[in-house]
Amino acid sequence: MARFNGKVALVTGSSNGIGRATAILFAQEGAKVTITGRNAQRLEETKQEILKSGVPESHVLAVVTDLTSEKGQDELIDSTIQIFGRLDILVNNAGTAVTDAQGRTGLDQDVSDFDKVMQINMRSVVTLTQKAKKYLIESKGEIVNVSSIVAGPQSQPEMMYYGMSKSALDQFTRSIAISLIPHGVRVNAVSPGYVVTGIVESIGFPPGSFEKLAAYWESHKECIPSGKIGRTIDIANVIAFLADRKLSSYIIGQSIVADGGSTLVMGIQAHDMMAILAS
Ligand code: NDP
């Protein structure tokens, strides 16, 4: 029997990237899935990929909506309950970075960008989780939040607001993990390192930009020690592990780093100690 048989999973941001891979994996492993995003065409692509792997159409609910609107969030929860009758797994994955078109960073970046990034990466997570709470308590379900290694402890001068949104998300994960575990609901997170997705294009860079970055990072051990940039399935597998109570029941309120070793290296390691000593 597939490990998520009989479960219902709602995966936000499943019209692309990590969310898409996660929704496909859950569906292939037996779950009924609600998939969502603003882009109807890309959401349909996710649905078709799920169906291609032999999942019945009755196991997929696609909801096109903007997650920053509470009306959209209500629609998402209500239609999931109406169609599938329950909710077992909530994956708060939708998110973005929001960079400045003029290249301003740190404190120079306009505070309206701070508002935008907090709106989707943090506020919508809080309100959607509030709306999902009673159904997750009924099912004694799981929440998996998608954080990032930009949450810290390293500084993020180029994407400060994005980093701040993910630090806040980590505190949210820890706090609600403790308030919900007495009700049987487990909350955890994954903190991906660099993963090839649509996120670089979504913040205004041309197609192929992430692949260009990936090629550079993969060839610099101080960027990705494993020498291989992450793929969406690498993160989907961690999300599925955290949503699978049989495998991860003793993990509460943690954020599991999956980054090819990126956060373990310091700049000094970028330089060859033996070559320096020999010079
Ligand atoms: P993508 O851009 O590929 O996917 C982002 C998803 O979020 C899309 O499905 C997009 O849907 C959805 N989304 C964004 N804004 C909204 C909104 N207002 N309403 C509804 N849906 C929205 O990026 P990733 O897969 O990379 O990002 C997924 C998560 O992973 C994010 O939280 C990101 O911060 C995190 N992450 C990514 C890393 C990476 O290197 N890629 C590293 C660490 C963390 P649509 O455009 O259809 O609205």
Side-chain angles (χ1 to χ4, degrees), residues 2 4-11 23-24 26-35 46-47 50-51 53-62 80 83-84:
F4 295 120
N5 262 1
K7 304 279 185 193
V8 174
L10 162 53
V11 183
I24 293 170
F26 276 131
Q28 287 173 341
E29 303 232 9
K32 292 177 178 163
V33 289
T34 300
I35 56 173
T46 302
K47 182 174 173 181
I50 292 173
L51 300 184
S53 56
V55 171
E57 194 159 5
S58 60
H59 282 205
V60 188
L61 169 65
T80 300
I83 303 290
F84 295 138

Side-chain angles (χ1 to χ4, degrees), residues 12-20 36-40 42-43 65-69 92-97 120-121 124 146-150 162 165-166 169 190-202 210 217 229 232 235:
T12 68
S14 35
S15 55
N16 212 352
I18 292 168
R20 173 181 284 175
T36 185
R38 291 162 302 179
N39 185 308
R42 282 204 300 256
L43 194 63
T65 195
D66 186 338
L67 208 56
T68 59
S69 96
N92 286 310
N93 162 76
T96 191
I120 178 67
N121 291 10
S124 75
V146 179
S147 182
S148 169
I149 58 169
V150 302
Y162 179 53
S165 73
K166 295 299 187 179
L169 182 63
V190 59
S191 290
Y194 308 101
V195 182
V196 180
T197 66
I199 197 166
V200 173
E201 275 179 48
S202 81
F210 212 147
W217 288 336
I229 195 153
T232 54
I235 308 306

Side-chain angles (χ1 to χ4, degrees), residues 46-268:
T46 302
K47 182 174 173 181
Q48 290 309 321
E49 278 199 48
I50 292 173
L51 300 184
K52 224 166 49 191
S53 56
V55 171
E57 194 159 5
S58 60
H59 282 205
V60 188
L61 169 65
V63 181
V64 177
T65 195
D66 186 338
L67 208 56
T68 59
S69 96
E70 293 226 16
K71 191 165 157 275
Q73 296 175 6
D74 286 334
E75 193 192 340
L76 207 46
I77 300 287
D78 293 349
S79 59
T80 300
I81 299 302
Q82 202 185 336
I83 303 290
F84 295 138
R86 57 187 291 138
L87 178 64
D88 301 273
I89 300 164
L90 171 63
V91 181
N92 286 310
N93 162 76
T96 191
V98 183
T99 48
D100 182 308
Q102 296 165 44
R104 289 173 300 190
T105 58
L107 261 188
D108 296 328
Q109 190 173 351
D110 199 274
V111 76
S112 60
D113 286 347
F114 170 81
D115 293 337
K116 276 187 219 150
V117 83
M118 290 303 280
Q119 181 81 24
I120 178 67
N121 291 10
M122 193 60 256
R123 194 179 198 286
S124 75
V125 175
V126 174
T127 49
L128 187 69
T129 306
Q130 285 173 334
K131 293 173 197 297
K133 181 179 155 187
K134 79 169 185 180
Y135 302 107
L136 291 166
I137 289 175
E138 272 169 26
S139 64
K140 303 213 179 305
E142 326 284 332
I143 298 174
V144 183
N145 296 325
V146 179
S147 182
S148 169
I149 58 169
V150 302
Q154 297 83 5
S155 79
Q156 292 297 331
E158 289 176 359
M159 291 197 292
M160 184 173 80
Y161 297 149
Y162 179 53
M164 291 165 72
S165 73
K166 295 299 187 179
S167 306
L169 182 63
D170 283 352
Q171 187 53 257
F172 177 71
T173 298
R174 286 189 289 270
S175 301
I176 64 163
I178 294 306
S179 57
L180 290 180
I181 196 63
H183 301 284
V185 178
R186 222 160 43 96
V187 185
N188 284 294
V190 59
S191 290
Y194 308 101
V195 182
V196 180
T197 66
I199 197 166
V200 173
E201 275 179 48
S202 81
I203 57 177
F205 290 90
S209 297
F210 212 147
E211 286 73 9
K212 191 173 160 189
L213 279 174
Y216 184 89
W217 288 336
E218 284 179 337
S219 63
H220 287 73
K221 69 176 183 183
E222 73 275 23
C223 299
I224 306 179
S226 67
K228 200 175 158 296
I229 195 153
R231 298 287 153 186
T232 54
I233 188 66
D234 297 325
I235 308 306
N237 279 326
V238 180
I239 294 170
F241 165 74
L242 291 171
D244 182 346
R245 201 165 282 215
K246 282 201 188 106
L247 296 183
S248 59
S249 66
Y250 206 42
I251 304 178
I252 308 286
Q254 298 300 310
S255 192
I256 309 290
V257 173
D259 71 347
S262 295
T263 47
L264 293 184
V265 291
M266 295 185 291
I268 202 164

